Amino acid sequence: DTAVSQTPKYLVTQMGNDKSIKCEQNLGHDTMYWYKQDSKKFLKIMFSYNNKELIINETVPNRFSPKSPDKAHLNLHINSLELGDSAVYFCASSPFDRNTEAFFGQGTRLTVV
Amino acid sequence: AQSVTQPDIHITVSEGASLELRCNYSYGATPYLFWYVQSPGQGLQLLLKYFSGDTLVQGIKGFEAEFKRSQSSFNLRKPSVHWSDAAEYFCAVVASGTASKLTFGTGTRLQVTL
C-alpha cells in the first residue's frame, strides 16, 4: 500500500502547455504539501493545504495552482509551462502537528521542452 | 528566518568505513530536526528525527544523529557504510508555525567505493 502516491511519475511536455500532477495520501493526514526539487537537488516548499484550506503559499508564480478536493488529495495544475519549470515535484503529507515528520511521494519529474 | 547548511556537497567513503555527514541549522527556537535520504530516482525517506529529549537519536538502516545545541548541529553518523547507502542525504528543520513546513539543506551526495 503506497502511503503517498503521485501521478504521473514522468511528464514531458512542450512550453506553453498546461499540465496537472495528482497526489493522493491514504495516511489520514490533515496536511498536504508540494515541494519542488530543482536541477541542483535543492528542495523548497511551494504550497501547503490543511483540510482543503491553503495555509502556505511560498511566492510561487500564479501559473501554479494547487487544488485540494478533499483532505486526501492535493493536485498541482501548471499553466503556460516554461523551461524553468522543469524539476522534480514532490507531494508530501503529515498530521497537522509539528511533532511529526512529513511523508513524501516518489516525485514527478517534469521536463519542459 | 530558519536555514540549514550542509557544508559537504559530495563525500566518498569506502564500504565498511565510518561516515559522518554534517548539518548546521539556524533557528531561533527549539528546532525539530530531520534527516532524509533520497536514492536515485526515488522519493525522500525519513532516516531519523529529533524533537526533544535524548540528544542522540537512532534511526533506520543503522544511522544515528546527535543534536548539539551549543554548536547548532545535527550530524548524521553510521559506523560502517554499506554500498547500498550511496544516495543523497538531506538535513531539514521545521520552521515555526502551525504546519510542518520543512526547510531543507542543499544535500550531501554520498558515494561508496567497494
Side-chain angles (χ1 to χ4, degrees):
Chain A
D1 288 342
T2 303
V4 182
S5 60
Q6 298 177 227
T7 54
K9 189 170 183 180
Y10 300 97
L11 185 53
V12 181
T13 188
Q14 291 186 326
M15 279 195 303
N17 284 352
D18 303 338
K19 290 293 178 186
S20 293
I21 306 171
K22 295 185 177 182
C23 179
E24 176 181 5
Q25 55 96 1
N26 62 7
L27 298 167
H29 290 161
D30 300 312
T31 308
M32 296 185 72
Y33 313 81
W34 279 108
Y35 284 83
K36 179 180 180 180
Q37 185 175 47
D38 63 23
S39 59
K40 296 184 178 179
K41 299 279 188 175
F42 184 63
L43 279 151
K44 193 173 191 306
I45 192 166
M46 300 173 69
F47 300 104
S48 176
Y49 269 74
N50 182 63
N51 274 327
K52 303 192 295 176
E53 181 182 345
L54 179 67
I55 54 174
I56 294 174
N57 183 341
E58 288 285 307
T59 320
V60 177
N62 56 17
R63 297 182 296 104
F64 289 78
S65 54
K67 286 188 170 49
S68 181
D70 55 61
K71 75 173 192 177
H73 296 83
L74 180 62
N75 304 323
L76 183 65
H77 188 75
I78 315 170
N79 290 326
S80 303
L81 278 155
E82 300 176 357
L83 292 176
D85 298 331
S86 295
V88 180
Y89 293 85
F90 285 100
C91 178
S93 73
S94 71
F96 189 65
D97 188 311
R98 285 181 70 205
N99 293 334
T100 56
E101 68 270 24
F103 294 80
F104 285 80
Q106 292 292 89
T108 295
R109 181 173 293 277
L110 172 65
T111 303
V112 183
V113 297
Chain B
Q2 66 289 335
S3 65
V4 177
T5 302
Q6 293 181 246
D8 304 306
I9 297 173
H10 187 194
I11 283 182
T12 300
V13 299
S14 300
E15 190 175 37
S18 64
L19 171 71
E20 182 169 30
L21 302 182
R22 296 182 290 167
C23 172
N24 292 95
Y25 67 89
S26 172
Y27 185 58
T30 301
Y32 291 0
L33 294 157
F34 307 83
W35 275 99
Y36 283 86
V37 61
Q38 184 180 19
S39 298
Q42 299 298 310
L44 293 154
Q45 182 182 23
L46 181 73
L47 285 176
L48 47 77
K49 60 191 177 187
Y50 172 78
F51 293 142
S52 64
D54 193 347
T55 56
L56 183 64
V57 293
Q58 302 297 321
I60 62 171
K61 304 184 181 185
F63 285 92
E64 67 177 26
E66 186 171 11
F67 170 60
K68 293 185 178 180
R69 185 186 300 275
S70 61
Q71 299 176 18
S72 297
S73 69
F74 188 57
N75 295 347
L76 182 71
R77 300 193 294 249
K78 186 169 185 178
S80 178
V81 169
H82 187 262
W83 64 266
S84 60
D85 292 325
E88 192 90 22
Y89 290 79
F90 293 94
C91 182
V93 62
V94 168
S96 60
T98 56
S100 297
K101 170 186 160 182
L102 288 160
T103 297
F104 284 90
T106 49
T108 298
R109 173 166 291 183
L110 174 65
Q111 185 177 356
V112 180
T113 58
L114 301 176

